[in-house]
Amino acid sequence: MRNENSRALFERAQKLMPGGVNSPVRAFRAVGGNPFFVAKGEGCYLWDVDGNKYVDFVCSWGPLILGHAHPEVVAAVKEAVERGTTYGAPTKLEVLLAEKIQQAFPSMEMLRLVNSGTEATMSAIRVARGYTGRKKVVKFEGCYHGHADYLLVKAGSGATTFGIPDSAGVPEGTAQDTIVLPYNDVHAFNETMDAVGEEVAAVIVEPIAGNMGVVLPEPEFLKALREQTEKHKSVLIFDEVITGFRVALGGAQSLYGICPDMTCLGKIVGGGFPLAAYGGRKEIMQSVAPLGPVYQAGTLSGNPVAVTAGLKTLEILERDNPYPELERKTRQIAKTVSDAAKEASVPVQINQIASMFTVFFTDRPVTDYSSAKRSDTQRYARFFHALLERGVYFPPSQFEAAFVSTAHDDEALSATQEAIRFAMKALAL
Ligand SMILES: *Cc1c(COP(=O)(O)O)cnc(C)c1O
């Protein structure tokens, strides 16, 4: 595999950008080697600057449920750009997108569009604190909610990948109101809420965790979150930045039938552009300026190009209902991994729901952060590279979800299955 051009760019990039990248996991540190630089994406494929082609299971870390450069999305965006790229004044498109989001997520009675998942969670927490007049926030180990200071405590994603769950530069005072509990641990949660529930402004959770690798919630866990927050009048925030429009049009809350007070969306909702949203019960969202005292704003919020891409993406998802087909394809990949692993006597746990999954190299079920950390990350790194050599791009970290898109066709899937069999055999050696 040729890589001179990527290598040369990486050298230049490292002189200017920390690790040569604009977001840490892209640097391949967790799996070793150098990242490839992308020239183009189309459908389920990426091409790098050396002409190598990959079946892409990273899908920009979640947004691309329709694959790269979906023709209808591209056409809509081109038209939008011609009309100007930002106005800083309201548009009809924003109303249409807000209505569409609200239809899929009835719990979001009012909402705001922002530019990133980080902004969505940060704003939701501020609103919850403003609304309740309380300070404390409960989060769960291995859940990632963007990089706001007080949420970077035992966060997943890149923070887990690099073993720095607590970031430098976060003052103790900022994090001291964040209570971190183990995911899926109903007992620990109930005990904490019984002790300090009256001080808790918000409980924030990934209702299906995607940032310590995929970890499914015990239904009892989500139920306990709802009951306790109701009892103590804390705001329950579902961070559905990954799961919104991914596991179902209405996200994890529609699958599990649990209605949070607030929801954060990102990734898919922006159709491949920087766009995210937060919202919730009307009574709570009325605390946001200019209606209420909680300030939150953004020069590019509701950007017409991003909104167009998001709107078109949601329209397609609604029209085509690709979810059963996505699930079928993803199960097929998961089964191939599991069969190949068995044959090679490599212990794996595959956590999968809808079109997201993670292959953990461990013989015990992965149900929380500490069991996720038991996975053999060196083995994952070898698996990753064996796949990459065969033109299949899995997440360059054990602790990130792999995603399947509607653009993954039979040809790409059978190439992937072959690569998986090859990679598992290589691991057994
Ligand atoms: C990606 C992600 C975020 C952060 O979104 P950005 O757009 O990267 O700021 C927040 N929460 C979850 C669950 C995420 O997966």
Side-chain angles (χ1 to χ4, degrees), residues 145-264:
H145 304 293
H147 59 84
D149 281 356
Y150 47 85
L151 291 171
L152 269 184
V153 187
K154 301 246 170 162
S157 194
T160 298
T161 307
F162 304 121
I164 37 169
D166 304 292
S167 169
V170 175
E172 259 171 57
T174 315
Q176 79 187 7
D177 289 317
T178 308
I179 300 169
V180 185
L181 297 173
Y183 197 78
N184 271 333
D185 189 335
V186 175
H187 181 71
F189 178 69
N190 284 342
E191 246 182 11
T192 302
M193 289 302 279
D194 286 339
V196 296
E198 309 305 308
E199 296 166 59
V200 171
V203 173
I204 185 166
V205 69
E206 289 183 69
I208 294 163
N211 284 293
M212 46 181 148
V214 174
V215 173
L216 302 186
E218 309 280 352
E220 292 312 308
F221 175 62
L222 295 182
K223 247 187 240 157
L225 299 186
R226 184 59 287 182
E227 280 165 17
Q228 286 282 1
T229 46
E230 222 155 66
K231 179 166 152 201
H232 295 284
K233 301 197 170 4
S234 311
V235 175
L236 177 60
I237 305 173
F238 272 12
D239 180 352
E240 300 227 40
V241 168
I242 287 185
T243 52
F245 308 105
R246 166 64 61 183
V247 295
L249 203 62
Q253 52 196 268
S254 75
L255 284 189
Y256 293 96
I258 292 187
C259 185
D261 301 301
M262 296 187 80
T263 299
C264 300

Side-chain angles (χ1 to χ4, degrees), residues 44 198 242 315 376 421:
C44 67
E198 309 305 308
I242 287 185
E315 275 169 17
D376 183 341
R421 290 186 199 109

